[in-house]
Amino acid sequence: MVRTNSPSDEIEMRSMDGRDGETPADPPSSPPVSRRSFLERKLNSITNFFSSINERVNRSTFGRVFRLRGSGHPDEIKDASFSTELRAGLTTFATMAYIIAVNSSILADTGFGCLCEQPIDTQGNCANNEDWQICYNEVKLDLITATAAISGLSSILFGFMTNLPVALAPGMGLNAYFTYQVVGIKGTGSISYKLALMAVFLEGWIFVILAITGMRHWLVRIIPTSIKVASGVGIGLFLTLIGMSYSSGIGLITGAVSTPLAIGGCPAEDLSPTGECMRNVMTNPKMWIGVVCGGLFTTFLMAFRVKSAIVIGIVLVSVLSWPRNTSMTYFPTTVEGNERWEYFKQVVAFHPIKHTLAQQQWNLSGEYAGRFAIALFTFLYVDIIDCTATLYSMARFCGRVPQGETDFPRSTIAYCTDAVCISIGALFGTSPVTAFIESGAGVAEGGRTGLTAIVTGICFLISLFFAPIFASIPPWATGSTLILVGCLMIRQVTRINWAYIGDAIPSFVTLTFIPFSYSVAYGLIAGIFTYTTLNTMIWLVIKLSGGSIMPKEYEQKEYWTWKPAGDKPLILRLFSKGRHWDDPREIKESPGFPLPSSADSTSSLHPRSPIPSTVEEKLSERAPSPRPFRETNSR
């Protein structure tokens, strides 16, 4: 028999061990109180001070504007805080700072009005090479100021208007096209730099019209979902390739003659004229410091969730690369190295724009009109696809694309803001401004709102006066960071619909062509072309056979329509009835071409359930099923 204690027994027991009485019989001996060190107490007080500031900002009107955590906004972003956004903005700037020096170097090759007298010798030098070099150096300083200014202004404006953690700057690839294919080295191209700047200026306002009328928005929404996801994966691989290159990375790979790519890692002086390592492969100290300090050490810090791990890695490699007369210096004893060193020693310097400000040629008549039209059209289609894919991928990467949606919030404002910044950049004398894929580094650091882009923009504006410092961040300091961001971005490859070949092959073409063609725009064009051609051929076979011949796993196909649910573009409203398109996932009773059933409300990112292939099957699905017979007990 089990005896249970009565309430009186329990009270008596508690009083005996001293838990309920005023004076316990045998008080336990308390451990000695350890006194914290003075340094520990100071560190804790500082941490608490900054934490309180962070929470105060989050709850303020400022935090409500950017929808920070705890701001009370109905759509507040749960993982966004003031301190994280600051850190993410610094990270994005650190990975983008190279654009200050690289963009100016590329665009300065056009000469921008510097007179190059003929003939040009075999080394590419003008007859008046000394005078041209003086003018070239001034133009390069102009473009350093212009690049930092437009990057700062456009990033701040974009962050405030869209609340997205995406920074803007003159785009790589577009600046190379501007210089080497349109204007030409030292102005030897098809049109003058003034006419090229006019093409960029008009391009921006055409984009504004496309955004306001809804055409640019519609063009994004009709891109198949798997293609859009694949573009984000391709951008991740593109970042990885950039991080491995010599020009913007650690120099792990290089171009080759017999193969497209080859192992690199040799010092720059051991590269052949074709850019291939002739000797000393994988012995470059600059590569190894980037791998060890910028890659492995940064990853080690990230494993323990150390805040600002990416910034720490970039700063560490940069500081180790600044001393001269070392094997890893960014300032070797060469003509270019000496120029970098002299500029770096200034620390604080501001150069006003003299040659590139407002240089558009407004007269578009004459022999260059046709070439101008070609340049304008090329800038249009390359930039619209490049920027659109980057914006969507960054919005998805930071979790701002709602589940099941095909677009991100404030997309129209984003496209208009980007377009206006393109035209403003042309007035500064730069090639088209676009969303930078390096923004993914800030997103990986925790950036979720436009505050990240604003911090990046402020850093660019500060760099107007500290450009010698920020322009001296070596590429091997940021190369491993880009590789790490690429690793984070390719994780969404599982969201591609690999179940059906009509979605899988175009997606694979997209994600591989982006890095291998070194262009986001051309990779997306290749994927869309493959998708359209392949699925049109399949559709014709199904249509002509009355639905009797269908590809394997066709029921797993993602649904696509050129009439996505929502508002129609303004231009299309003029030629059709109604303001809206109905939900495209509703059943369309068209024999021989099966579409998803209206009951299917899952996201198009995942394989769909089997789809009926005839009208009769569809109607049978809609018909109510007979109620099961239920036996009842009669009384």
Side-chain angles (χ1 to χ4, degrees), residues 237-294:
L237 295 175
F238 188 18
L239 282 174
T240 302
L241 188 61
I242 292 174
M244 291 182 176
S245 67
Y246 271 87
S247 58
S248 305
I250 59 178
L252 186 61
I253 58 174
T254 182
V257 177
S258 57
T259 57
L261 295 174
I263 192 71
C266 63
E269 55 269 19
D270 291 330
L271 292 172
S272 68
T274 59
E276 192 171 3
C277 283
M278 299 182 293
R279 64 185 75 86
N280 297 327
V281 174
M282 298 296 290
T283 61
N284 189 3
K286 298 174 181 177
M287 180 203 69
W288 284 112
I289 190 177
V291 169
V292 175
C293 296

Side-chain angles (χ1 to χ4, degrees), residues 225 403-405 585 600-608:
T225 304
Q403 181 69 25
E405 296 292 331
R585 285 182 271 190
D600 185 4
S601 60
T602 58
S603 172
S604 60
L605 292 178
H606 303 285
R608 296 188 177 277

Side-chain angles (χ1 to χ4, degrees), residues 587-632:
I587 293 181
K588 313 292 182 183
E589 298 189 7
S590 54
F593 188 55
L595 297 176
S597 66
S598 59
D600 185 4
S601 60
T602 58
S603 172
S604 60
L605 292 178
H606 303 285
R608 296 188 177 277
S609 57
I611 304 172
S613 58
T614 63
V615 176
E616 288 77 16
E617 292 178 12
K618 297 173 189 175
L619 294 177
S620 65
E621 278 195 355
R622 286 185 172 184
S625 58
R627 295 181 179 178
F629 177 77
R630 180 182 301 172
E631 294 184 2
T632 58

Side-chain angles (χ1 to χ4, degrees), residues 57-306:
V57 174
N58 286 356
R59 294 191 299 266
S60 67
T61 303
F62 180 85
R64 189 177 178 85
V65 169
F66 293 100
R67 305 182 182 182
L68 301 179
R69 181 189 67 238
S71 63
H73 194 282
D75 298 322
E76 70 177 35
I77 302 169
K78 300 300 181 183
D79 54 347
S81 66
F82 179 66
S83 59
T84 304
E85 298 298 310
L86 289 179
R87 187 171 66 250
L90 293 174
T91 302
T92 300
F93 172 74
T95 58
M96 285 179 60
Y98 74 90
I99 196 63
I100 298 175
V102 174
N103 187 64
S104 58
S105 297
I106 292 175
L107 295 180
D109 286 342
T110 62
F112 267 89
C114 297
L115 179 61
C116 180
E117 296 180 357
Q118 304 295 325
I120 299 177
D121 61 21
T122 56
Q123 302 297 323
N125 297 321
C126 304
N128 60 332
N129 187 61
E130 185 175 344
D131 294 335
W132 188 90
Q133 193 65 41
I134 294 174
C135 180
Y136 168 84
N137 291 335
E138 289 188 353
V139 166
K140 190 173 180 180
L141 293 176
D142 282 5
L143 289 170
I144 286 177
T145 301
T147 301
I150 189 57
S151 300
L153 291 175
S154 57
S155 296
I156 292 173
L157 182 62
F158 191 85
F160 181 77
M161 297 297 294
T162 67
N163 200 31
L164 289 172
V166 180
L168 273 59
M172 292 295 294
L174 288 170
N175 54 8
Y177 173 76
F178 181 97
T179 298
Y180 303 118
Q181 297 185 36
V182 178
V183 181
I185 297 177
K186 299 181 180 179
T188 57
S190 57
I191 63 177
S192 67
Y193 82 96
K194 291 186 176 183
L195 208 56
L197 288 177
M198 188 63 194
V200 176
F201 181 81
L202 288 181
E203 173 206 358
W205 291 112
I206 292 174
F207 278 164
V208 171
I209 296 173
L210 291 176
I212 292 176
T213 57
M215 287 301 296
R216 191 173 181 182
H217 185 78
W218 173 71
L219 289 172
V220 177
R221 295 171 67 193
I222 64 173
I223 296 176
T225 304
S226 280
I227 298 293
K228 286 190 282 192
V229 175
S231 67
V233 178
I235 288 175
L237 295 175
F238 188 18
L239 282 174
T240 302
L241 188 61
I242 292 174
M244 291 182 176
S245 67
Y246 271 87
S247 58
S248 305
I250 59 178
L252 186 61
I253 58 174
T254 182
V257 177
S258 57
T259 57
L261 295 174
I263 192 71
C266 63
E269 55 269 19
D270 291 330
L271 292 172
S272 68
T274 59
E276 192 171 3
C277 283
M278 299 182 293
R279 64 185 75 86
N280 297 327
V281 174
M282 298 296 290
T283 61
N284 189 3
K286 298 174 181 177
M287 180 203 69
W288 284 112
I289 190 177
V291 169
V292 175
C293 296
L296 294 176
F297 181 66
T298 301
T299 307
F300 172 78
L301 296 179
M302 293 173 66
F304 288 94
R305 300 183 180 274
V306 175

Side-chain angles (χ1 to χ4, degrees), residues 305-380:
R305 300 183 180 274
V306 175
K307 296 180 179 180
S308 306
I310 294 177
V311 175
I312 292 172
I314 293 174
V315 171
L316 176 61
V317 177
S318 298
V319 171
L320 292 176
S321 302
W322 282 340
R324 302 200 77 178
N325 301 320
T326 65
S327 59
M328 60 189 71
T329 182
Y330 187 57
F331 311 108
T333 54
T334 61
V335 175
E336 184 180 6
N338 291 333
E339 289 181 357
R340 290 176 185 169
W341 177 248
E342 293 301 322
Y343 188 55
F344 174 74
K345 287 194 303 182
Q346 296 180 35
V347 181
V348 179
F350 176 78
H351 179 83
I353 301 176
K354 301 177 183 178
H355 298 272
T356 65
L357 191 63
Q359 293 294 314
Q360 283 72 21
Q361 178 180 325
W362 297 94
N363 183 9
L364 305 180
S365 62
E367 58 179 325
Y368 296 113
R371 297 173 182 174
F372 168 82
I374 293 175
L376 174 61
F377 178 76
T378 305
F379 280 133
L380 274 172

